[in-house]
Amino acid sequence: MEASAVSVLKRAVELDQGARFQESLVCYQEGIQLLMDVLKAVKDDPKKVHYRGKIKGYMERAEQIKVHVNQLKEDGKYHEQIKISEDATGYSYGMLFKPYISSALSEVWVEDPYIRHIHQLYNFLRFCEMLLKADCQVKTIHLLTSQDEVDSGQQNTALAEVKQSLQTQGVSLDLQYSSTIHDREIRFDNGWIIKIGRGLDYFKKSKGRFSVGYCDYDLRQCHETTVDIFHTKHTKKLGDVM
């Protein structure tokens, strides 16, 4: 457990130094909890003092980041950028979106012109599954995409099945098509906006059905792309326009 705490806190510091504050805050919180669990099992008094000092230092830094992020959000100036390099791994939807999902999240808008081919439809399904597993209460997912001019039947059938399946989980899918859509972004009603250069389709094709990364997207190689994260207090108003 100590090794896990060190690993998570090391990542928190790296993200902190890279000005990826929201992500670093999540790692600090996870690492602090792990250190507190370690502290409970320690019997040696000098070690207890050591761990308490470490925990206090990390908690103070986490609080500073929280205050800084909240102020940026209030001022409408929050912006982080993540650059995913060619062949990079570790960027599943869960890892990428987790720092921006909160218990207050109930509505999501996905604007992506390329939810058409089989692998893109599966990407959207995986994104929905990620939301269902996350610590939130999503009730509505809005999808605005373009219609497949070659095989719209396959696209319509797949999305209808996704919609029906989501209904069994208490989530409604609002599906709309646009022939002029170009931009790609995902909006959460807790204020976060995530813009991915390649949309949800930033994973490379697996080398085979029995290759590492075929099932676990944390191990799947990625295409090079840029992720921009913003925060606004007007997400719902923007979503109402869609």
Side-chain angles (χ1 to χ4, degrees):
M1 189 174 293
E2 183 178 1
S4 297
V6 170
S7 178
V8 172
L9 290 166
K10 181 181 178 182
R11 180 61 175 157
V13 173
E14 290 173 350
L15 291 167
D16 190 352
Q17 293 173 342
R20 289 163 61 177
F21 298 119
Q22 186 67 25
E23 290 179 279
S24 71
L25 182 58
V26 172
C27 287
Y28 274 126
Q29 291 169 337
E30 291 181 357
I32 289 168
Q33 184 58 56
L34 286 170
L35 268 189
M36 291 178 72
D37 291 338
V38 171
L39 178 61
K40 292 175 184 177
V42 170
K43 304 299 181 182
D44 185 67
D45 287 338
K47 281 190 175 182
K48 285 185 178 181
V49 172
H50 170 74
Y51 283 123
R52 287 193 184 109
K54 288 288 185 181
I55 291 170
K56 180 181 178 183
Y58 287 126
M59 288 182 72
E60 288 176 350
R61 180 54 187 159
E63 185 59 31
Q64 290 171 356
I65 292 174
K66 187 184 294 186
V67 171
H68 176 64
V69 168
N70 286 340
Q71 188 59 56
L72 289 175
K73 285 159 62 175
E74 283 296 315
D75 296 341
K77 297 178 180 179
Y78 189 95
H79 177 214
E80 280 190 28
Q81 187 174 85
I82 301 171
K83 291 186 180 293
I84 300 178
S85 58
E86 189 76 4
D87 295 329
T89 58
Y91 289 97
S92 67
Y93 296 140
M95 290 299 293
L96 186 61
F97 291 100
K98 182 179 178 181
Y100 314 101
I101 293 176
S102 65
S103 58
L105 178 61
S106 63
E107 198 165 2
V108 176
W109 292 266
V110 178
E111 189 171 323
D112 191 327
Y114 299 108
I115 308 295
R116 301 186 299 196
H117 302 311
I118 284 294
H119 73 282
Q120 296 165 345
L121 291 160
Y122 274 125
N123 284 341
F124 178 66
L125 176 60
R126 287 188 179 93
F127 175 77
C128 293
E129 290 174 337
M130 179 274 299
L131 290 173
L132 291 172
K133 290 172 62 180
D135 183 20
C136 61
Q137 299 295 324
V138 170
K139 297 300 180 185
T140 306
I141 300 172
H142 304 269
L143 173 63
L144 179 65
T145 189
S146 61
Q147 196 147 32
D148 191 338
E149 297 177 357
V150 178
D151 190 359
S152 61
Q154 174 182 264
Q155 181 188 29
N156 292 338
T157 300
L159 289 174
E161 188 173 337
V162 172
K163 182 172 184 174
Q164 184 177 10
S165 182
L166 284 172
Q167 285 177 340
T168 66
Q169 301 293 322
V171 178
S172 63
L173 174 62
D174 170 38
L175 175 61
Q176 297 182 39
Y177 292 108
S178 169
S179 59
T180 58
I181 181 176
H182 180 267
D183 292 341
R184 303 165 177 85
E185 71 176 39
I186 293 169
R187 299 195 290 273
F188 293 161
D189 69 348
N190 61 4
W192 291 107
I193 298 176
I194 298 95
K195 297 187 177 185
I196 309 173
R198 297 183 62 97
L200 291 174
D201 192 12
Y202 59 87
F203 295 105
K204 287 193 169 185
K205 184 179 179 180
S206 175
K207 292 180 172 62
R209 288 181 298 168
F210 296 97
S211 298
V212 170
Y214 183 80
C215 298
D216 189 341
Y217 270 35
D218 274 321
L219 301 173
R220 178 75 70 92
Q221 290 182 317
C222 299
H223 291 288
E224 181 178 349
T225 194
T226 300
V227 183
D228 285 288
I229 301 106
F230 306 88
H231 190 277
T232 176
K233 291 183 283 187
H234 308 293
T235 305
K236 281 196 172 182
K237 292 181 181 179
L238 285 170
D240 291 340
V241 176
M242 288 178 56

